[in-house]
Amino acid sequence: MELETEELKYEFTGEESAYNGNTVRRIRAIRDFGNIKAGDLGGWLEKKENLSHRGNCWVADNATVRGDARILDDAVVSGNATVYGRAIIRDSACVYDEALLYGNTSIYGNAQVYGDATVYEDANIKDNAKIFGEAKVYGNAKVYGNAQIYEDASVYGLAKVFGNAKVHGFSSFGERILIGSDGNIEEYRDYISISGLGRSWGMHITFYRNQDGGISVATDDSPNDTYSGTISEFRKKIKTIYYGQYSYEGTKYEKAYNAAADLAKIQLSEDAK
């Protein structure tokens, strides 16, 4: 449905610029909304579909949005950030500084991407997650909760980072690595991953160093999609996992998971909590 003229919130100023073979055009607000006042200059769009007239979403400063990328709801793209491809930024998400987003990536909730961070392909960033520094998130990776990816870290593939986890330094991982709760990953020695435990060969479990100096665990062998907690909490959790009428308690699966926890304590820290 076309918006009425009085509902439009910006116009093109007539100023154009060539950007990687595409022509982008400067925008200007034509009414007050959010923190924006009528007459405020905005950033650059390739076409009107890049920025919704609904909500308080805005493209500011020298930020550029092109291709089929869309900025919706109350999302803001500012600084020198670049968004293109079919990327979607929505809800109250913010992208700024020199951040680069492209592909089919989705940024939503209150998520933030900034610094020199790059998010691309089908990566999904939501909730209060933050991607910054020179971090990269790509593939089908998901970052959510209050997780932070920063410095030179890379997360890709089918990896999930959630809870209050921090992934930083030069750490790089993909596959189906799961880092949750209070994870603190700085290098490859900070975690080990095992597949094929439990009743389904598709299940994965990752043991990792946490922010208290101990070891935590995350697994998708859970009725709630993912579970994370300390090793001691996990040993208790094993007894409560059910598939239909079958419990893991007293089975080979409980023994296998406990053996994996023992292995993780040896590999990651002899005296871990």
Side-chain angles (χ1 to χ4, degrees):
M1 183 179 69
E2 291 290 330
L3 292 175
E4 299 295 332
T5 301
E6 61 268 22
E7 293 181 284
L8 300 178
K9 67 183 183 186
Y10 68 86
E11 63 184 2
F12 290 102
T13 66
E15 183 182 1
E16 296 184 348
S17 178
Y19 190 96
N20 287 351
N22 300 96
T23 298
V24 292
R25 298 180 287 169
R26 175 81 76 177
I27 59 172
R28 175 174 51 224
I30 57 176
R31 62 175 172 84
D32 295 351
F33 59 94
N35 295 320
I36 306 302
K37 303 297 182 183
D40 286 353
L41 285 177
W44 304 84
L45 307 181
E46 183 177 352
K47 53 191 177 184
K48 62 182 177 65
E49 289 82 5
N50 294 139
L51 176 64
S52 175
H53 285 276
R54 294 186 171 89
N56 294 319
C57 55
W58 188 236
V59 176
D61 306 320
N62 285 307
T64 302
V65 182
R66 55 189 175 87
D68 293 318
R70 301 179 67 194
I71 314 303
L72 308 170
D73 304 322
D74 296 321
V76 175
V77 180
S78 60
N80 293 305
T82 300
V83 183
Y84 66 98
R86 298 179 65 84
I88 295 179
I89 319 298
R90 60 182 172 88
D91 296 334
S92 297
C94 293
V95 177
Y96 53 101
D97 293 337
E98 308 289 334
L100 174 62
L101 282 72
Y102 59 96
N104 294 304
T105 189
S106 296
I107 315 295
Y108 53 105
N110 293 303
Q112 297 183 42
V113 181
Y114 55 100
D116 291 299
T118 305
V119 182
Y120 57 105
E121 294 178 346
D122 294 291
N124 185 296
I125 316 297
K126 65 178 181 178
D127 299 331
N128 296 304
K130 294 181 179 180
I131 317 297
F132 57 101
E134 296 187 4
K136 292 179 173 61
V137 181
Y138 56 101
N140 290 287
K142 295 182 179 181
V143 183
Y144 53 101
N146 295 303
Q148 298 183 22
I149 315 296
Y150 57 101
E151 295 176 344
D152 294 282
S154 295
V155 177
Y156 55 92
L158 295 170
K160 295 180 182 180
V161 182
F162 56 99
N164 295 307
K166 295 181 178 181
V167 179
H168 54 107
F170 289 94
S171 55
S172 176
F173 58 81
E175 303 296 335
R176 293 184 67 171
I177 303 297
L178 304 166
I179 306 296
S181 57
D182 54 352
N184 183 31
I185 310 301
E186 188 172 7
E187 59 174 354
Y188 70 92
R189 296 184 182 88
D190 290 333
Y191 67 90
I192 61 171
S193 181
I194 303 173
S195 299
L197 294 180
R199 289 187 177 276
S200 171
W201 289 104
M203 297 303 179
H204 298 262
I205 185 168
T206 306
F207 295 91
Y208 53 88
R209 299 184 194 278
N210 61 41
Q211 295 164 33
D212 293 325
I215 299 174
S216 289
V217 56
T219 178
D220 53 11
D221 191 355
S222 168
N224 298 318
D225 183 36
T226 55
Y227 164 82
S228 65
T230 64
I231 278 187
S232 58
E233 291 169 340
F234 176 65
R235 292 187 193 276
K236 297 176 183 177
K237 179 69 175 179
I238 297 168
K239 299 178 183 297
T240 68
I241 297 177
Y242 282 85
Y243 281 91
Q245 60 182 330
Y246 300 104
S247 166
Y248 276 5
E249 185 173 11
T251 68
K252 68 175 185 179
Y253 304 113
E254 180 185 12
K255 294 177 182 177
Y257 273 132
N258 277 314
D262 292 339
L263 172 63
K265 292 188 70 172
I266 295 171
Q267 176 68 18
L268 296 177
S269 176
E270 290 285 355
D271 56 353
K273 297 177 182 178

